[in-house]
């Protein structure tokens, strides 16, 4: 939680609000000089450019409406802005930056936040839980990619990962470490912090949140790799699952396990890319790829069944579970589609396939159709939960959930326009109409805008709503162009599947192809499934 003591480099500690009223020691790594330490804690939150907003209102909004969607820390209801300013000054500035309603305020506070961040991390080379938690807040809720064409979320989460590693939250020092610094520094401060259970819990949740955000951002932007999962993080995950003092910890643990599954689906794709690169041509969707996905789908179902009743009805968790079903189905679907398209020539040469959607004839196998309809139904389920959210809850969603929304819309567009005789686009639209979905998203965003008191068309949710309207306009134009090319034939003369309705898709069995395992599959099976042997108790 945020009202926790912190260890100083020289052994001094900062006590949690209410535990001790002694002043904060400027020698603590949470409180340094100028933009760091004691001066930051003593500096007014409101910058000198006249943009004044009620900081207590921002704190309440963040704690009650935003944090529940990604509860990687705990803020007690009696914690005040003054207490956070003294004990977590950087964390508080992040809250003000993300919870202020207007674009003008978000940009001003965000710029100040980045200046302080650069000064403390790059110039003064500081590392602290205050810095890490503040950075996680800003990364998760700033919507920096919306306000800036070249968004910095990939850089921000990379910096957060670096801070977590410097704080040794992901792994201990190796037994054969040979740096001189540990022999010189006074170890008392770190020993004190390590003895405090609630402080360790904050560290554990921070590193897990860092993993979840890095995974989400790496999948969405495809610019960086996700943070590597390590044994100590397994220990942290089990520890917060067992913690009954904070009900939100179980929800966070579930989010982490779900994101681990999402990352496994990425590893499946990467494994196939490596196999394809090592061979002269694409190996096709091997038995192993199908087996991986089916097993991960089983683990997703098992996780859902094991959720405690206290969090089972959380809308954001239900959305996340539908999203992971989409991730797994898309990993399999695109694998089959890539195999159907056939190998492409090297750079500079002509492609080995024509301009049709697939060069593998009219054949779309049962597994491809099964996974494709799983994607459609996962999107429909995700959207159903999203449209049921109250405006206040919608306004508090983190980037993790907005990235889920974006993927749902993009995949739905692709499935609604997939031009192949064996795919029924009309049935897709009858199941989940893209235009209706985009209209519904626009409506929810406008309601969220009114909920948080936005006043300008340039403010966050109105701006995103405008982006969705532009998406709708472009999608409608492209779908109109493709409409005449859609062949709605029911079955091919050769007996191959040309269209599969919901009933037919539901009847498709979990069949597997008969190809042999590809190179390295044994080791990859272990890397995929080994982590889940301990079970799914949440």
């Amino acid at each position: 939680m945020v009202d926790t003591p912190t260890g100083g480099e020289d052994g001094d500690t900062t006590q949690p609000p209410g535990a001790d009223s002694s002043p904060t020691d400027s020698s603590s790594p949470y409180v340094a000089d100028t933009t760091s330490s004691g001066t930051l804690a003593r500096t007014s939150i409101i910058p000198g450019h006249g943009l004044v907003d009620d900081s207590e209102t921002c704190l309440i909004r963040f704690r009650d409406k935003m944090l529940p969607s990604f509860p990687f820390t705990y803020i007690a209801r009696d914690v005040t802005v003054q207490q956070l300013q003294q004990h977590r000054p950087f964390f508080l500035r992040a809250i003000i930056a993300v919870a202020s309603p207007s674009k003008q305020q978000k940009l001003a506070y965000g710029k100040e936040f980045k200046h302080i961040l650069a000064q403390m991390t790059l110039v003064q080379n500081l590392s602290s839980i205050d810095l890490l938690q503040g950075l996680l807040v800003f990364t998760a809720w700033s919507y920096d990619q919306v306000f800036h064409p070249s968004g910095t979320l990939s850089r921000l989460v990379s910096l957060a990962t670096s801070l977590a590693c410097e704080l040794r939250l992901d792994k201990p020092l190796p037994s054969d470490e040979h740096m001189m610094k540990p022999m010189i520094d006074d170890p008392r401060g770190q020993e004190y912090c390590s003895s405090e259970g609630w402080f360790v819990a904050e560290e554990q949740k921070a590193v897990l949140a860092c993993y979840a955000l890095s995974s989400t951002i790496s999948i969405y932007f495809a610019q960086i790799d996700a943070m590597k999962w390590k044994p100590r993080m397994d220990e942290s995950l089990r520890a917060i699952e067992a913690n009954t003092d904070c009900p939100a910890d179980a929800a966070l643990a579930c989010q982490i396990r779900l994101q681990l599954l999402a990352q496994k689906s990425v590893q499946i794709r990467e494994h196939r890319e490596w196999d394809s690169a090592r061979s002269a041509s694409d190996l096709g969707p091997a038995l192993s790829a199908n087996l991986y996905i089916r097993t991960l789908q089983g683990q997703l179902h098992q996780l859902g069944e094991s959720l405690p009743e206290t969090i089972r009805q959380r809308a954001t968790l239900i959305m996340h579970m539908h999203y992971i079903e989409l991730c797994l189905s898309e990993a399999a679907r695109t694998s089959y589609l890539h195999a159907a398209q056939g190998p492409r020539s090297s750079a500079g040469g002509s492609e080995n396939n024509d301009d049709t959607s697939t060069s593998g004839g009219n054949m779309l196998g049962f597994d491809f159709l099964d996974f494709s309809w799983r994607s459609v139904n996962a999107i429909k389920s995700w959207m159903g939960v999203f449209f049921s959210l109250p405006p206040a809850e919608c306004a508090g969603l983190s980037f993790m959930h907005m990235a889920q929304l974006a993927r749902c819309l993009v995949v739905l567009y692709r499935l609604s326009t997939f031009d192949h005789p064996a795919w029924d686009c009309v049935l897709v639209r009858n199941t989940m109409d893209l235009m209706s979905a985009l209209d519904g998203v626009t409506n929810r965003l406008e309601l969220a805008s009114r909920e948080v008191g936005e006043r300008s068309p340039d403010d966050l949710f109105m701006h995103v709503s405008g982006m969705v309207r532009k998406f709708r306009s472009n999608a409608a134009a492209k779908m109109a162009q493709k409409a005449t090319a859609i062949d709605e034939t029911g079955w091919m003369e050769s007996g191959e599947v040309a269209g599969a309705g919901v009933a037919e898709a539901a009847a498709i069995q979990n069949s597997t192809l008969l190809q042999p395992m590809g190179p390295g599959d044994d080791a990859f099976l272990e890397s995929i499934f080994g982590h889940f042997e301990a079970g799914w108790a949440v």
Side-chain angles (χ1 to χ4, degrees):
M1 54 191 206
V2 295
D3 48 350
T4 57
T6 56
E9 291 177 344
D10 57 0
D12 294 327
T13 59
T14 303
Q15 297 298 325
D20 192 311
S21 59
S22 60
T24 302
D25 191 333
S26 62
S27 63
S28 166
Y30 298 98
V31 202
D33 70 336
T34 314
T35 38
S36 62
S37 293
T39 304
L40 182 60
R42 294 188 295 270
T43 302
S44 172
I45 302 170
I46 307 300
H49 37 55
L51 299 178
V52 180
D53 190 60
D54 187 348
S55 54
E56 287 286 355
T57 300
C58 287
L59 174 59
I60 293 171
R61 183 190 166 212
F62 177 78
R63 183 192 62 210
D64 296 345
K65 305 300 183 182
M66 302 170 74
L67 190 57
S69 72
F70 186 39
F72 69 87
T73 187
Y74 172 71
I75 306 176
R77 302 193 71 82
D78 58 350
V79 170
T80 65
V81 167
Q82 290 72 28
Q83 289 172 319
L84 287 178
Q85 173 71 358
Q86 178 183 2
H87 300 287
R88 287 289 192 271
F90 193 71
F91 178 76
L92 177 60
R93 275 163 170 75
I95 292 175
I96 300 300
V98 302
S100 297
S102 76
K103 176 182 178 181
Q104 187 182 16
Q105 289 172 320
K106 287 180 183 294
L107 290 175
Y109 292 134
K111 183 176 181 180
E112 181 199 38
F113 177 90
K114 290 180 180 179
H115 277 303
I116 297 174
L117 175 67
Q119 179 72 18
M120 296 180 75
T121 58
L122 301 180
V123 178
Q124 299 176 14
N125 199 33
L126 298 177
S127 301
S128 69
I129 291 294
D130 183 35
L131 272 173
L132 178 56
Q133 289 182 327
L135 186 50
L136 291 172
V137 167
F138 191 79
T139 303
W141 284 283
S142 69
Y143 289 86
D144 193 68
Q145 78 287 353
V146 173
F147 294 126
H148 300 91
S150 55
T152 58
L153 292 191
S154 294
R155 293 185 184 181
L156 290 172
V157 80
S158 295
L159 181 56
T161 300
S162 173
L163 285 173
C165 294
E166 288 175 14
L167 292 169
R168 296 289 173 188
L169 305 185
D170 62 329
K171 64 178 181 179
L173 279 170
S175 58
D176 61 344
E177 62 88 12
H178 47 276
M179 295 183 296
M180 292 182 63
K181 193 173 186 299
M183 299 297 296
I184 299 171
D185 290 348
D186 187 344
R188 289 175 298 166
Q190 181 60 37
E191 289 174 357
Y192 175 84
C193 292
S194 298
S195 67
E196 299 290 345
W198 45 263
F199 184 84
V200 172
E202 284 300 292
E203 292 180 324
Q204 291 169 334
K205 288 187 282 190
V207 71
L208 294 175
C210 192
Y211 172 82
L213 277 177
S214 72
S215 173
T216 301
I217 290 171
S218 70
I219 293 173
Y220 185 80
F221 291 106
Q223 295 172 330
I224 60 172
D225 291 331
M227 183 180 188
K228 185 178 180 181
W229 186 263
K230 299 170 186 174
R232 173 171 280 187
M233 295 159 75
D234 256 331
E235 298 173 7
S236 298
L237 182 54
R238 290 193 295 269
I240 68 166
E241 283 176 338
N243 180 25
T244 58
D245 294 335
C246 182
D249 281 5
L252 176 64
C254 180
Q255 286 181 305
I256 303 305
R257 289 207 179 275
L258 288 169
Q259 202 56 40
L260 280 167
L261 286 174
Q263 200 60 40
K264 297 297 183 184
S265 71
V266 174
Q267 292 174 7
I268 290 171
R269 185 200 69 212
E270 293 174 344
H271 174 71
R272 285 186 47 75
E273 289 174 352
W274 277 106
D275 276 356
S276 180
R278 287 195 296 265
S279 62
S281 62
D282 195 338
L283 299 176
L287 167 65
S288 54
N290 195 306
L291 175 61
Y292 301 155
I293 296 297
R294 301 295 185 186
T295 304
L296 293 177
Q297 286 174 330
Q299 292 171 351
L300 175 61
H301 178 75
Q302 183 182 357
L303 176 58
E305 292 295 318
S306 68
L307 291 180
E309 290 294 335
T310 54
I311 65 171
R312 185 165 292 183
Q313 300 305 316
R314 280 201 178 208
T316 51
L317 286 184
I318 298 172
M319 290 164 59
H320 205 156
M321 296 189 76
H322 292 315
Y323 170 74
I324 301 306
E325 176 67 37
L326 175 62
C327 289
L328 299 178
S329 299
E330 282 299 289
R333 187 183 74 87
T334 55
S335 174
Y336 283 102
L337 183 59
H338 180 68
Q341 288 175 331
R344 296 178 181 268
S345 64
S346 59
S350 61
E351 294 184 353
N352 197 32
N353 60 313
D354 56 25
D355 292 333
T356 60
S357 296
T358 62
S359 62
N362 292 324
M363 179 64 179
L364 289 182
F366 284 115
D367 286 293
F368 177 88
L369 292 169
D370 181 29
F371 286 121
S372 298
W373 280 104
R374 282 177 180 267
S375 291
V376 173
N377 290 319
I379 293 169
K380 181 179 180 180
S381 299
W382 193 97
M383 288 293 180
V385 180
F386 176 74
F387 292 147
S388 71
L389 293 178
E393 190 171 355
C394 182
L397 295 177
S398 70
F399 174 77
M400 293 178 64
H401 300 93
M402 300 311 288
Q404 294 171 20
L405 171 62
R407 184 168 190 177
C408 285
L409 294 175
V410 171
V411 173
L412 182 58
Y413 166 75
R414 290 172 179 166
L415 291 170
S416 299
T417 57
F418 179 49
D419 187 6
H420 192 283
W423 182 245
D424 192 343
C425 291
V426 173
L427 188 56
V428 173
R429 296 171 194 174
N430 290 339
T431 303
M432 185 68 206
D433 182 64
L434 176 63
M435 297 297 110
S436 297
L438 290 168
D439 290 340
V441 170
T442 300
N443 177 262
R444 302 312 295 177
L445 291 173
E446 291 174 352
L447 290 175
S449 174
R450 289 198 289 269
E451 175 70 24
V452 300
E454 292 183 348
R455 306 177 186 91
S456 167
D458 291 333
D459 287 341
L460 174 62
F461 292 105
M462 292 302 295
H463 183 81
V464 177
S465 176
M467 295 170 61
V468 175
R469 291 182 186 277
K470 184 177 293 186
F471 182 117
R472 187 192 192 285
S473 176
N474 293 338
K478 292 179 180 179
M479 289 172 70
Q481 293 173 1
K482 289 189 174 184
T484 57
I486 296 177
D487 184 358
E488 299 177 8
T489 304
W491 291 86
M492 307 297 293
E493 292 181 359
S494 60
E496 296 154 351
V497 178
V502 176
E504 289 90 338
I508 293 172
Q509 300 300 313
N510 293 342
S511 57
T512 56
L513 300 182
L514 299 180
Q515 289 90 342
M517 290 282 191
D521 279 336
D522 289 340
F524 187 61
L525 276 168
E526 175 62 27
S527 71
I528 287 287
F529 305 129
H531 171 73
F532 299 98
E533 291 176 354
W536 289 91
V538 177

